[in-house]
Amino acid sequence: MPMSHSDTLLIELLTEELPPKALNQLSSVFSHCLVEQLAIHDLIDIDKGRVPSFEPFGTPRRLAVIIHNVRTVAPQRWIYKKVLPVSVALKSNGQPSDQLIKRLIALGFPDIPLTRLERVIDGKIEAFFLKYTAPGVTLEDGLQNALDETLTKLTTHKILTYQRPDGTNVQFIRPIHRLIALHANRVIPITALGLRANNITLGHRFLSEGQIKVLHADNYKHVLKHRGKVIVSMLERKEAIRIQLLERAGVDHVLMPETLLNEVNALVEWPIVYACHFDQVFLKVPQECLILTMQTNQKYFVLTNAFGKLQPRFLVVSNLQTDTPKQIVIGNERVVRSRLTDAKFFFEQDKKKTLEQRVPLLASVVYHHKLGSQLQRTERIEALAILIAPIVGVDARLAARTARLAKADLLTYMVGEFPELQGIMGAYYARYDGESEEIAIGCLEHYRPRFTGDELPSTTIGTIIAVADKIEALVGIWGIGLQPTGEKDPYALRRHALGLLRIILEKRLPIDLIDLLRHTYTQFSTHTQVIDPTSALYDFFIDRLRSLLRGYGYNAKEVEAVLSQNPTRIDNIISRLDAVREFAALPAAESLAVANKRIMNILKKSNSAPRHIKTQLFVECAEFTLFEQLQNITPTVQDRLHSRDYTGALLALASMSDSVNMFFKDVMINTDNSALRANRLGLLALLYEQMNCVADISKLKT
């Protein structure tokens, strides 16, 4: 067996330009799969319990990875293999059967004596087993298998069929031109997609010296950077872009959304940032429109001043370094002028028709074929806004007007071009139409929160329309049977539910969930295909609420103590949870939780318990004591519940711990005397009612 040593392994695929939005994923899959497959073959020399060390690389024209401590040959391994059942392996005279001889030949051990085979009970039968050592796989064979397997994992993206110079057809994401497989300074002779590995690559398409020979795997990054003008590390390239953007921005603030940074990073190998300008006349257009068109269509980075106002210049990340970038700047300025002219035209055309004039036209826009048009949806949201408004102390007419106009911007040119601007453009057009600022902000905010962690509506009007919008979508879509299943949620009902719960919780809206669901369902009375989803949606809300509250930092027992009571008012749940947490820290909490669980089990087994307690039936002192203390504490508990002092209510109940323990110690509940038994069950029922007025404290039992 050849001697093995460990060193750095480099694998590179040089391709045509890869899809930029997929480059991050392609690079990750390529590197991780190669490492995983080499580890399976035991070709990576690492200490037990540690993970392999590797560096993934990706540029528009290459996928590569450097893997450290890769062996030339894997260590030999012990194999313990079942051969045959003894009854089959031996003849009646104890000699090897023909089946055993054939089996040993197939395993590569034709001359092995019977004494080398182990007789082991395997299940219910006795069998022969063979233990032997097998040589480790060579790097050439293991790497070939690893690369073949990795390439199959990369074919989940759209595949192209192209022809190699020798006329053979090959299928891959993009045509591949070169393959490097270099272990230290030695080329590993593997093949892939019609290519044989060597140590030659190409650098930047325009800036490099031509063919570049990589003499050692450890020199790959350095050689590509200095001779090829390629920064192969995606992280280093992204940071280089970020630094240049900040330098070029100067005193201004550069908007650098991560999605845009990642996409631009996947478009360049040697990033150079240039500053460009546009005409100030375009600043009369809402800046959100300008920002979106420059970011989305042209991948430009826009600049704002200290007050967030858009500046008439932008930054472009180029893949070409030159001392005379005038033509690059002029070309990009010409392109952006055309884009901004379109945005200005859309804005001016939209202003010719008011939002009110657009509302009737929503009748021609289908919301869902089972739920009618966008106008019908608007009318439902408007009715719900009128219902919710007095609950939160807002003028119903103002809420109705905002709800009526909130969806009208869907018919504007600007939102048609950029759907991301819905709501934003509604606010601009509402102001232009002379609507109040409250209505304009309501149009803007009624989509919030749009995603996890997004801001909630800042105004009461925006809050009302957001609640109406989300509950209408939930009841309607769920009611026609399109509830989420598994990972599929095409109508974003989970997002709507979490957003609605966040609004009610964090803004303490005094809304009853069941009432809201029932009132919303009545808005679909003309749509016979909508089945009442109230019960199912309530359960859905409670499930979402569990995860939401856990995200707020409450533990499972605390959350379950409150939610197990199936609350329909959730605006006070945070206060209840805080009270439960404080109560759980008391010395009396554990014994009261145990007692509460015991009372619940006792009451479940009884048919009924009287509501009126007869004190003349009390026999034990513990009965008198518990009843008297319960009578004294109940008014205090109820007053504190009324004032939403849930902590105070639970602390008052905690003072009953000794009386409750004494009751269970001295009093027999299931006595043969039916009158005594019923009276004691009634006392427990009253106690149980008070003990669970804030939460089911039995859930706190450890």
Side-chain angles (χ1 to χ4, degrees):
M1 178 182 295
M3 293 292 293
S4 178
H5 71 276
S6 302
D7 218 316
T8 304
L9 175 69
L10 164 67
I11 304 295
E12 183 202 65
L13 296 179
L14 184 72
T15 71
E16 291 291 333
E17 275 70 11
L18 294 161
K21 291 184 178 180
L23 183 60
N24 266 322
Q25 183 186 7
L26 289 170
S27 175
S28 176
V29 172
F30 181 73
S31 56
H32 281 85
C33 190
L34 269 173
V35 170
E36 178 184 321
Q37 291 299 313
L38 289 175
I40 289 173
H41 289 295
D42 203 11
L43 282 166
I44 302 180
D45 185 6
I46 53 174
D47 294 334
K48 187 175 181 180
R50 302 189 66 180
V51 296
S53 171
F54 66 98
E55 298 175 76
F57 305 118
T59 79
R61 300 178 62 208
R62 72 197 75 228
L63 296 173
V65 61
I66 281 178
I67 309 170
H68 302 287
N69 303 316
V70 177
R71 297 180 170 112
T72 54
V73 180
Q76 66 179 14
R77 61 195 189 281
W78 282 100
I79 296 178
Y80 193 60
K81 194 173 189 65
K82 181 179 178 180
V83 181
L84 281 177
V86 173
S87 60
V88 177
L90 298 179
K91 297 178 181 178
S92 58
N93 60 2
Q95 295 301 306
S97 66
D98 293 340
Q99 292 96 321
L100 177 59
I101 293 171
K102 291 178 181 178
R103 177 64 172 159
L104 291 173
I105 292 173
L107 290 173
F109 297 93
D111 301 321
I112 193 169
L114 280 177
T115 54
R116 282 281 310 278
L117 300 179
E118 294 184 35
R119 296 174 70 138
V120 178
I121 300 299
D122 183 35
K124 295 183 179 181
I125 64 172
E126 188 179 26
F128 279 124
F129 279 78
L130 175 62
K131 186 176 183 181
Y132 61 95
T133 59
V137 66
T138 64
L139 177 56
E140 181 177 342
D141 291 339
L143 180 57
Q144 184 68 66
N145 291 334
L147 184 58
D148 291 343
E149 179 66 20
T150 298
L151 293 178
T152 64
K153 298 290 179 63
L154 294 175
T155 56
T156 53
H157 296 268
K158 187 176 180 180
I159 301 302
L160 301 179
T161 300
Y162 61 97
Q163 196 172 68
R164 298 287 306 149
D166 61 4
T168 58
N169 287 330
V170 179
Q171 290 186 323
F172 197 59
I173 306 161
R174 293 292 186 270
I176 296 182
H177 297 300
R178 291 184 180 275
L179 168 65
I180 287 182
L182 194 61
H183 188 232
N185 58 357
R186 182 174 72 92
V187 172
I188 308 300
I190 60 172
T191 61
L193 303 171
L195 294 169
R196 179 169 291 278
N198 56 31
N199 62 349
I200 297 174
T201 187
L202 298 176
H204 191 284
R205 194 179 288 277
F206 306 111
L207 303 176
S208 74
E209 303 175 359
Q211 290 190 358
I212 298 172
K213 180 177 288 190
V214 182
L215 298 178
H216 196 288
D218 287 330
N219 297 335
Y220 176 67
K221 287 171 60 178
H222 179 83
V223 169
L224 263 292
K225 184 174 184 178
H226 292 278
R227 291 186 56 198
K229 294 295 183 182
V230 175
I231 302 176
V232 291
S233 168
M234 296 188 73
L235 290 177
E236 290 180 21
R237 200 165 63 249
K238 184 177 177 179
E239 190 58 27
I241 294 172
R242 194 191 304 273
I243 291 171
Q244 290 186 63
L245 287 172
L246 292 172
E247 289 175 349
R248 286 286 188 172
V251 297
D252 290 327
H253 174 68
V254 56
L255 301 187
M256 293 186 286
E258 284 299 305
T259 52
L260 180 58
L261 266 176
N262 288 335
E263 189 169 357
V264 169
N265 189 34
L267 290 168
V268 296
E269 290 192 314
W270 190 255
I272 301 294
V273 175
Y274 299 112
C276 307
H277 296 77
F278 61 85
D279 198 317
Q280 293 203 35
V281 69
F282 294 116
L283 294 177
K284 296 179 181 179
V285 179
Q287 68 178 43
E288 291 89 346
C289 308
L290 306 181
I291 291 171
L292 195 60
T293 189
M294 285 192 281
Q295 289 180 340
T296 304
N297 293 322
Q298 301 309 129
K299 316 305 175 191
Y300 295 150
F301 292 86
V302 300
L303 299 167
T304 61
N305 64 16
F307 303 100
K309 183 175 175 57
L310 184 66
Q311 298 301 287
R313 66 190 191 103
F314 60 94
L315 304 177
V316 57
V317 180
S318 174
N319 195 37
L320 188 61
Q321 182 179 22
T322 174
D323 295 331
T324 55
K326 183 178 180 180
Q327 292 305 314
I328 295 175
V329 172
I330 290 174
N332 282 284
E333 289 178 344
R334 184 184 301 117
V335 171
V336 86
R337 186 182 305 116
S338 175
R339 288 292 185 181
L340 299 188
T341 299
D342 289 344
K344 184 174 182 295
F345 172 78
F346 292 151
F347 183 57
E348 296 299 331
Q349 290 299 113
D350 285 342
K351 291 192 298 183
K352 293 179 180 179
K353 187 179 292 185
T354 66
L355 291 177
E356 175 60 42
Q357 290 172 325
R358 296 181 189 277
V359 172
L361 303 179
L362 290 171
S364 62
V365 181
V366 175
Y367 170 51
H368 189 282
H369 70 279
K370 293 183 179 180
L371 300 174
S373 66
Q374 281 287 359
L375 178 59
Q376 290 174 296
R377 180 166 193 246
T378 294
E379 291 169 346
R380 292 191 292 266
I381 294 172
E382 184 178 350
L384 289 168
I386 293 172
L387 175 73
I388 298 168
I391 298 176
V392 296
V394 172
D395 183 353
R397 290 172 299 179
L398 182 62
R401 180 64 177 169
T402 309
R404 177 172 175 78
L405 299 180
K407 301 294 183 186
D409 68 346
L410 295 176
L411 292 173
T412 62
Y413 288 112
M414 196 65 80
V415 173
E417 179 74 9
F418 301 109
E420 302 94 328
L421 292 176
Q422 53 190 282
I424 295 172
M425 296 313 303
Y428 276 105
Y429 296 139
R431 294 187 185 101
Y432 184 80
D433 295 345
E435 302 288 347
S436 70
E437 183 64 13
E438 288 177 294
I439 290 176
I441 296 299
C443 291
L444 169 67
E445 294 187 334
H446 85 281
Y447 288 104
R448 294 180 182 173
R450 296 158 295 176
F451 49 83
T452 301
D454 190 21
E455 295 179 354
L456 298 183
S458 64
T459 63
T460 310
I461 285 295
T463 297
I464 291 171
I465 311 306
V467 170
D469 179 57
K470 288 172 173 53
I471 197 67
E472 190 278 341
L474 283 157
V475 171
I477 298 299
W478 195 292
I480 57 175
L482 297 177
Q483 58 268 35
T485 55
E487 295 182 358
K488 295 182 179 180
D489 187 13
Y491 294 93
L493 297 191
R494 293 189 182 98
R495 176 167 56 83
H496 283 313
L498 283 171
L500 181 63
L501 290 170
R502 277 191 61 204
I503 291 173
I504 297 175
L505 274 174
E506 296 177 27
K507 290 186 172 290
R508 300 292 201 270
L509 299 184
I511 293 175
D512 186 290
L513 266 182
I514 292 292
D515 287 347
L516 182 62
L517 287 167
R518 287 172 178 164
H519 283 300
T520 305
Y521 174 60
T522 63
Q523 301 302 316
F524 293 91
S525 57
T526 59
H527 298 277
T528 57
Q529 296 181 81
V530 179
I531 307 301
D532 186 359
T534 298
S535 178
L537 261 177
Y538 174 76
D539 292 340
F540 183 69
F541 277 128
I542 294 299
D543 283 342
R544 304 278 80 70
L545 194 54
R546 281 190 178 91
S547 60
L548 186 61
L549 294 173
R550 292 297 300 275
Y552 287 172
Y554 298 100
N555 65 44
K557 289 182 180 179
E558 293 164 346
V559 171
E560 205 54 40
V562 175
L563 295 189
S564 63
Q565 295 187 318
N566 294 319
T568 60
R569 282 281 298 273
I570 64 170
D571 53 308
N572 57 28
I573 278 183
I574 298 297
S575 299
R576 289 176 182 267
L577 282 166
D578 290 339
V580 167
R581 174 169 288 181
E582 191 166 340
F583 171 79
L586 297 175
E590 177 68 18
S591 63
L592 282 174
V594 172
N596 192 56
K597 181 76 171 179
R598 184 175 178 182
I599 295 170
M600 180 183 67
N601 291 333
I602 291 171
L603 293 177
K604 278 182 179 179
K605 295 176 182 178
S606 65
N607 295 326
S608 62
R611 302 297 298 172
H612 180 68
I613 307 303
K614 298 177 181 179
T615 56
Q616 62 270 29
L617 291 177
F618 288 161
V619 175
E620 305 291 345
C621 289
E623 293 177 272
F624 285 101
T625 302
L626 180 60
F627 179 73
E628 183 178 1
Q629 191 172 11
L630 189 58
Q631 290 291 94
N632 292 333
I633 284 178
T634 296
T636 302
V637 171
Q638 294 305 312
D639 285 344
R640 291 179 179 176
L641 284 176
H642 183 71
S643 61
R644 299 178 69 149
D645 178 11
Y646 303 112
T647 301
L650 285 177
L651 291 177
L653 288 166
S655 66
M656 298 184 63
S657 176
D658 291 341
S659 299
V660 172
N661 291 336
M662 187 61 68
F663 179 85
F664 279 113
K665 179 181 178 183
D666 295 347
V667 178
M668 179 180 290
I669 309 298
N670 293 319
T671 177
D672 293 337
N673 187 319
S674 60
L676 286 180
R677 183 172 63 252
N679 203 53
R680 290 168 179 174
L681 287 172
L683 180 56
L684 288 180
L686 290 178
L687 175 61
Y688 186 76
E689 182 179 338
Q690 293 304 309
M691 290 177 73
N692 295 280
C693 61
V694 174
D696 181 354
I697 62 174
S698 70
K699 301 295 183 182
L700 301 176
K701 181 179 177 296
T702 55

